[in-house]
Amino acid sequence: MNLEEAKLKVQVTLEERDSVEKYLQSSHSIMNALIGFSVTKYIESANQGWNLPGIHKDKSKEIVGEEILEAIENAANVYSVMVKTMHENSAPRRLMRGTSNDEARRLHQGGRYDRIVSASTNEITAKSFGRNGNAAFLRIIAQEDVPFIDVENFIGKENLSRDESEYILAPFTEVKSSIFRSDWNGFKYYDVVLGKPEMREFKEGEKTALQSEIKSKFADMLEKGKEVISLQCRYECLLEKKGGDAEDRAYIAKDKQETLDKIYELKKELEAFEVSVGKYIEGIFVEREKEFKIAYDINKAEELRIMEEQKKIKQKENIREQQKAFREMKTKFHGIMDRAPTTFTEQYHALKDEEIKYYNMAKILRNSI
């Protein structure tokens, strides 16, 4: 990467800006559903009203796969902007987030935040997102190495539907600590410290294979996920059945075991796919971060080179000014020295005149006594 490429790399691109605006307007659901991906949670989110690709069989498997990869690319663009912002500015020391006690308890157990985190500097705004009857209030301290975006500074206050004073923090941040503080006025209060995202980078040749797997299998995995959910419902129904006689009970027991075996078999396949999606997303994020780090280091080295060059130029200017001042002083000194004989002679005669004057005055005083 040359210097010109590095200068461009550290700037927020139009494509990255477009991805951030998509996240803020409508695409946060799909991006967060893929970060920390779970097939069954993805389906449950869609059932709750989230507009997610692949749920309905109105598109081919290939198109669904392409939409998923595009969503991951948009999420990577958002992460790129977060990293660039972090190197230019600092996040507020304390941010706030209203959420559910379920989320707060998960953070309290440690681990990491497997989603893009929305927070605010406005307490009223943050608390408006608390879950009624199940509300938690997080006071978040984001360490200096946590990438972030100040929404207002990024898209302009005039483009916001309301003043939320919103910041979005990078996914995969490490929960350094989560301390329960109090339970007051309908909220459980926690102090949460988030540190640098911990992610896995691609191994040699892994990126293309994972990309191909996601594109070809995503729609199929959703169908298998729906089957798991259906089988789990069936199993719960079987648990309630008692059976009339021994034969009936044996049949129910067999049905329960076969259902469990099928659930286990499908879940094993789903979990392997979820791992692949996670590896791909983390790998893309790390790839972007490393590219930016290289560009940032090149630009930083150039800044240091220019500063060093300017320092040398300043030193040379100072030396020239000192040499000029010395020459002027030397010229003045020589002028004084050239005039010295005349000056010394004049001073000598003046002193002799003074001596004679005082001698005569003393002589008159002696004669008058």
Side-chain angles (χ1 to χ4, degrees), residues 79-130:
Y79 184 73
S80 293
V81 176
M82 289 176 168
V83 174
K84 292 176 182 180
T85 303
M86 176 190 70
H87 281 277
E88 295 296 326
N89 303 287
S90 298
R93 180 61 180 165
R94 191 176 292 277
L95 292 164
M96 294 164 278
R97 173 176 170 80
T99 186
S100 67
N101 281 309
D102 297 332
E103 178 178 316
R105 280 191 290 269
R106 285 195 297 273
L107 295 178
H108 198 55
Q109 295 169 0
R112 63 180 187 172
Y113 230 131
D114 285 344
R115 60 175 298 165
I116 294 173
V117 183
S118 176
S120 176
T121 55
N122 186 309
E123 183 173 345
I124 295 173
T125 298
K127 285 185 173 178
S128 70
F129 289 91

Side-chain angles (χ1 to χ4, degrees), residues 30-31 34 53 66-76:
I30 175 62
M31 293 187 201
L34 292 172
E66 288 173 354
E67 288 180 346
I68 295 302
L69 292 176
E70 182 182 350
I72 294 172
E73 185 70 13
N74 279 321

Side-chain angles (χ1 to χ4, degrees), residues 9 13 34 75-76 87 137 174 203 281 284 288 323:
K9 180 66 74 174
T13 67
L34 292 172
H87 281 277
F137 185 76
E174 184 182 357
K203 294 181 179 178
I281 292 174
I284 288 287
R288 293 294 185 86
Q323 288 174 335

Side-chain angles (χ1 to χ4, degrees), residues 185-235:
N185 200 25
F187 285 87
K188 285 182 168 58
Y189 288 78
Y190 292 81
D191 288 344
V192 178
V193 178
L194 298 180
K196 186 182 186 302
E198 295 295 330
M199 296 177 287
R200 172 190 181 276
E201 61 183 298
F202 289 126
K203 294 181 179 178
E204 185 70 30
E206 189 178 46
K207 180 180 178 181
T208 303
L210 290 171
Q211 189 179 60
S212 177
E213 180 183 359
I214 292 168
K215 183 176 179 179
S216 62
K217 290 185 177 181
F218 195 89
D220 288 339
M221 289 298 129
L222 292 184
E223 291 305 309
K224 291 182 179 183
K226 291 175 185 177
E227 187 178 353
V228 166
I229 293 171
S230 176
L231 287 168
Q232 287 173 332
C233 290
R234 175 178 174 78
Y235 183 74

Side-chain angles (χ1 to χ4, degrees), residues 276-317:
S276 293
V277 174
K279 286 180 179 178
Y280 182 72
I281 292 174
E282 289 188 27
I284 288 287
F285 283 19
V286 173
E287 187 176 71
R288 293 294 185 86
E289 188 171 354
K290 288 178 72 175
E291 285 177 1
F292 175 78
K293 182 67 167 58
I294 292 169
Y296 179 81
D297 288 345
I298 291 172
N299 279 279
K300 198 68 178 175
E302 177 64 9
E303 287 176 10
L304 292 173
R305 186 192 68 78
I306 292 172
M307 287 174 62
E308 189 63 29
E309 194 174 89
Q310 290 174 340
K311 182 180 177 182
K312 289 178 180 178
I313 292 171
K314 187 67 176 175
Q315 287 174 338
K316 287 179 181 179
E317 288 175 352

Side-chain angles (χ1 to χ4, degrees), residues 330-365:
K330 183 178 178 182
T331 301
K332 186 176 180 180
F333 175 77
H334 283 307
I336 293 170
M337 293 303 293
D338 289 342
R339 295 193 304 272
T342 301
T343 302
F344 292 154
T345 300
E346 289 173 351
Q347 288 179 347
Y348 173 77
H349 288 300
L351 289 171
K352 291 296 290 182
D353 289 342
E354 287 291 311
E355 182 184 14
I356 293 169
K357 183 174 70 173
Y358 288 118
Y359 174 79
N360 290 332
M361 288 175 65
K363 184 177 180 181
I364 291 171
L365 288 170

